[in-house]
Structures are given as C-alpha cells and as structure tokens.
Amino acid sequence: MFSSPVFLGLLALLAASLMACTYTTQIPIVKVARRWSFMHSAGSIRKQEFAESLPRASIQDLGVILMGYGYEVFTKGPSLYAFKGLAGRFAPIGVHIAMIFIMAGATLSATGSFKGSVDVPQGLNFVIGDVMKPKGVLSFAPDVFNTEVHVNRFYMEYYDSGEVSQFYSDLSLFDLDGKEVMRKTIKVNDPLRYGGVTIYQTDWGFSALQVKKNGEGPFNLAMAPLKLNGDKKLFGTLLPLENSGSSNVKGISMLARDLQSIVLYDQEGKFVGVRRPSSKLPIEIDGNEIVIEDAIGSTGLDLKTDPGIPIVYAGFGALMLTTCISYLSHSQIWALQDGSTVVIGGKTNRAKLEFSEEMNRLLDKVPELISVNEKKIDSKQSAT
C-alpha cells in the first residue's frame, strides 16, 4: 500500500502544495514582519487591535519599559516601533520543511528498503543477502549483504506457569574473510544493528530432538509443527521401531510445546512419561531404552534495511520543535509622541486577551511627566 504509485503520487502532490504555500504565503509574511514599519499618524495607531493614549508621558520611557519586557525597540523621531516573538513567524516554514522531510523519508523507505525473514536452527548459519528481498526501484544491495550470520545458541526463559516469557539468539557476524565482526545476543525488542541492517528476534521453533535408543545414536529427529486452535504451539516427531520401508510404520511418538519437556507415547498411542532434555534420564518404552539427549530450537529472525528512518526521525523531531515554536505570539507595538501625549497601539497573532492584559500592565509602569510649575508648587509645599 505505502509503496503503490497512487500513494507516492499523493505524497508528491502534498509536498508540492506545502512548498507552494511556503513560497507564496509564509515567506512573504516573514519578510513583512521583519520590516521596521513606523507609523506617523495617531489615527493609524488608534485603528490597531489595542489602542491607548498616555497623557503627560514620554516615548523614551515607554521604550525602556518595552525592552524590559523582551521587546526589540526602534525609534525614529517621535515614532516608536517594537516587536517580539519573531520566531513564531518563522516556525510555520519550519513545520512545512519538517513535513517534507518526513514524506521524503517515507518515500525512500517505501522504494529503497530490503526485508526478509528466516528460521535458523541452532548451530547453523545464513548469508544476509540470501534472505533479503528488495521493496522498490531504489533498493540497491550494500556490501554488508555478503555478511554471514551464525546462530551460536538459541534459548528461552519461562514463567513459573511454564509459558514462554522471552527467547534469545546468540548471533555472530562474519565478513568474507571469515573474521567475526560482531557478536550479540538479541531478544524481542532488542535487535542487532550492523551496517544499516537490523536483525529482529520475532519467533521461535523446535528444530530437532537428539535421541539415543538402546545406547545407539544420538539420532536427530526433525520436529514438525502441528496445527492447533489459538496461538499455542505444538511440535511432534516419531522414532520408528520397525523397518521404515513397510507400509505401516509404528514407533514412539514425542510431543513438545517448548524446549523444556518432552511427552512420550508408545506404539499404541498410550502415554508413557515426560522427560526433560537436560535430565538425560532413560525411559523404557516397548522394550527400548530411550534417552532424550538435547532439544534443538530454531530462531525466527526478521531482517530489514530502511534508509529512510533517519530522515523520518529527524523530520518528526523538527516537526515537534517547530510546532512548539509556532505557538509563540508575534506581538507588534507602535507609539507616537503627540505633544505631551503618547499614543500607543499594538496587535498580536495569538493570545490576544493575554496581549491586552500585558499591555495594560506595561502602560501602568510608564511614569507620568511633571511640569515645571508643578515642581515649584511641590517645592513650596515641602518648604512650609
């Protein structure tokens, strides 16, 4: 689905739409926001979302207070312009670029990745390139595909109830010269990563039983999966006690749900007993002494290469960061000294109620100018 031409075409159309929006809308908005736009008319200032007049005030005092609130302040004669939160105007451009990165990474993943799966018995090996299949037209096999993987050991852990809790694969990687380049024991949710290839532990199976009969052997008996309702696993095998060329072969049946215990039945299908492979205890069945030497498990591995993952992760990281930045308010303030009165106006693109409250707090801190006559009266009053 995600590699179909229709889906990739829709991604390309969305990317083109985002780039067009960025070029025609977002970039011009940023250019306008960066300009120092002074207003020289009190009427124009009073038309802003927030407008107020301060009698007997100084535009220089207003500028100092604005700088204390984090504004960038510019003055030109009797006019003042201040702003803050310009990063909030750049953020939408960053959001668009991050989305384009995510789509580019997803496209590369859909058209340039490899995937494969394999079941390998303990002690055997495989070459990475033999199990990997390309998923798109941009899938090119890297040199790491010549690496050989050897399953040193496969084992499982169990709950007290006997259910499988976790399974592990001890893997070694060898280059073309037979040199071990990496070794790691993997488990579910803890994969092996090497040269862009990721090997996941996804499943397990029962490969074979090593059995001795009357002191002979051991014989390797292949275990076959048996169908059951639900997600439970059951494996079985047969140890022939008669000539295998006869039409009616009878033998000892052996069943197992996991690697820790084997259930044995005689030729008539009657239950005989249970043995653990690690115990090496013999059991007598139909006049034959049977010893379960070992249970050989097989590991189920999924392999993949996904060159788009770093791009997708980087895109999502940038998307989260720029989305948070985009919530910053871009606030603008204009002021004009009209005689002894300062006319103030402002606007913001977000949090308009908070902006009005901030402006009222800010204007309350602007000091009131005292005339010369008022100073003389104050001095006479203080003298008397």
Side-chain angles (χ1 to χ4, degrees):
M1 173 183 176
F2 297 110
S3 59
S4 67
V6 175
F7 179 78
L8 296 177
L10 290 175
L11 278 185
L13 185 62
L14 178 57
S17 175
L18 287 173
M19 288 187 288
C21 178
T22 301
Y23 182 75
T24 61
T25 303
Q26 299 299 332
I27 292 179
I29 289 176
V30 171
K31 289 181 178 179
V32 171
R34 294 182 64 186
R35 294 173 185 167
W36 300 353
S37 55
F38 295 99
M39 290 187 181
H40 304 284
S41 169
S44 299
I45 295 177
R46 290 191 177 96
K47 291 179 181 179
Q48 300 302 315
E49 297 172 358
F50 176 89
E52 188 63 80
S53 296
L54 290 180
R56 303 169 70 177
S58 170
I59 200 171
Q60 283 76 21
D61 293 335
L62 175 63
V64 173
I65 294 172
L66 286 173
M67 286 190 289
Y69 274 74
Y71 283 84
E72 297 285 338
V73 180
F74 306 92
T75 59
K76 184 179 180 181
S79 300
L80 177 145
Y81 171 67
F83 72 88
K84 72 175 180 178
L86 186 60
R89 286 297 190 185
F90 281 96
I93 298 176
V95 170
H96 289 182
I97 294 175
M99 293 179 66
I100 291 173
F101 264 83
I102 293 171
M103 290 184 286
T107 301
L108 184 58
S109 295
T111 60
S113 62
F114 285 83
K115 290 185 178 180
S117 60
V118 61
D119 291 323
V120 188
Q122 175 179 298
L124 298 185
N125 50 7
F126 66 94
V127 177
I128 292 177
D130 292 342
V131 301
M132 300 292 269
K133 296 180 181 179
K135 292 298 180 181
V137 295
L138 300 179
S139 299
F140 299 101
D143 293 338
V144 72
F145 276 22
N146 295 320
T147 304
E148 185 178 76
V149 181
H150 181 75
V151 181
N152 301 306
R153 185 188 175 206
F154 174 77
Y155 59 99
M156 296 188 290
E157 291 181 349
Y158 303 89
Y159 294 113
D160 294 337
S161 62
E163 297 291 329
V164 176
S165 65
Q166 184 63 277
F167 35 100
Y168 303 84
S169 297
D170 179 10
L171 305 178
S172 290
L173 275 59
F174 296 90
D175 60 16
L176 290 175
D177 298 326
K179 179 182 177 182
E180 185 180 62
V181 294
M182 186 177 184
R183 181 169 182 172
K184 181 181 179 179
T185 299
I186 66 172
K187 60 182 179 180
V188 177
N189 297 326
D190 184 17
L192 179 150
R193 292 182 173 88
Y194 176 74
V197 177
T198 306
I199 303 178
Y200 297 92
Q201 178 75 71
T202 57
D203 201 0
W204 65 274
F206 206 140
S207 177
L209 271 179
Q210 286 189 346
V211 179
K212 281 187 176 182
K213 184 180 74 170
N214 299 323
E216 298 179 355
F219 306 102
N220 286 334
L221 303 178
M223 296 290 284
L226 306 177
K227 291 185 178 180
L228 287 178
N229 293 329
D231 57 353
K232 300 292 184 180
K233 292 189 175 187
L234 182 64
F235 301 88
T237 190
L238 179 71
L239 176 62
L241 297 179
E242 299 179 2
N243 185 2
S244 60
S246 63
S247 58
N248 187 17
V249 178
K250 290 186 178 182
I252 300 171
S253 301
M254 305 179 191
L255 300 178
R257 292 187 180 276
D258 48 49
L259 303 180
Q260 61 179 348
S261 59
I262 312 298
V263 183
L264 298 99
Y265 299 85
D266 63 14
Q267 297 184 72
E268 304 300 326
K270 295 179 181 180
F271 173 76
V272 178
V274 179
R275 287 292 183 271
R276 291 182 177 272
S278 57
S279 69
K280 307 293 179 67
L281 294 176
I283 186 172
E284 190 79 16
I285 305 176
D286 295 329
N288 297 281
E289 184 183 79
I290 305 299
V291 177
I292 307 297
E293 287 285 329
D294 195 11
I296 302 174
S298 62
T299 179
L301 304 174
D302 278 359
L303 297 85
K304 77 170 186 177
T305 63
D306 196 340
I309 283 183
I311 301 175
V312 172
Y313 283 0
F316 271 110
L319 180 62
M320 290 186 288
L321 177 62
T322 53
T323 299
C324 293
I325 295 175
S326 68
Y327 282 98
L328 295 176
S329 299
H330 178 234
S331 303
Q332 296 173 285
I333 296 175
W334 294 268
L336 180 66
Q337 186 79 55
D338 187 8
S340 62
T341 301
V342 176
V343 182
I344 304 167
K347 66 178 182 179
T348 186
N349 64 333
R350 298 183 186 275
K352 297 183 182 297
L353 180 60
E354 288 78 1
F355 176 70
S356 297
E357 295 174 350
E358 180 188 51
M359 288 297 296
N360 288 324
R361 292 194 302 269
L362 185 151
L363 296 182
D364 288 341
K365 295 186 177 182
V366 178
E368 183 179 359
L369 297 179
I370 301 176
S371 64
V372 176
N373 292 331
E374 290 176 335
K375 289 182 178 180
K376 290 180 179 180
I377 293 173
D378 290 340
S379 63
K380 288 181 180 179
Q381 291 177 348
S382 60
T384 58

